[in-house]
Amino acid sequence: MHGDDEEAADGEIAAREKTARRSQKYAAEQANLHGFQVRKSLEPPTPSSP
């Protein structure tokens, strides 16, 4: 009975750790993309179609 609770808690901890790793990876990707967008915004504008 108590083993089930411990297993469920372990599963929840593992899920939180996985979510934290994904969040960190996402934040790093967004930081890289943000840097790209800043550099791209410094390029001359392309002519728009009429």
Side-chain angles (χ1 to χ4, degrees):
M1 184 179 213
H2 294 292
D4 291 340
D5 290 341
E6 290 177 6
E7 289 175 12
D10 288 342
E12 291 173 8
I13 290 169
R16 281 194 295 269
E17 290 172 350
K18 186 175 184 180
T19 300
R21 284 192 304 272
R22 287 184 175 179
S23 294
Q24 290 171 347
K25 183 179 178 182
Y26 178 77
E29 289 174 352
Q30 290 303 306
N32 289 335
L33 289 174
H34 177 70
F36 175 75
Q37 291 170 351
V38 169
R39 286 190 304 270
K40 188 169 177 68
S41 68
L42 296 175
E43 295 177 3
T46 56
S48 59
S49 52

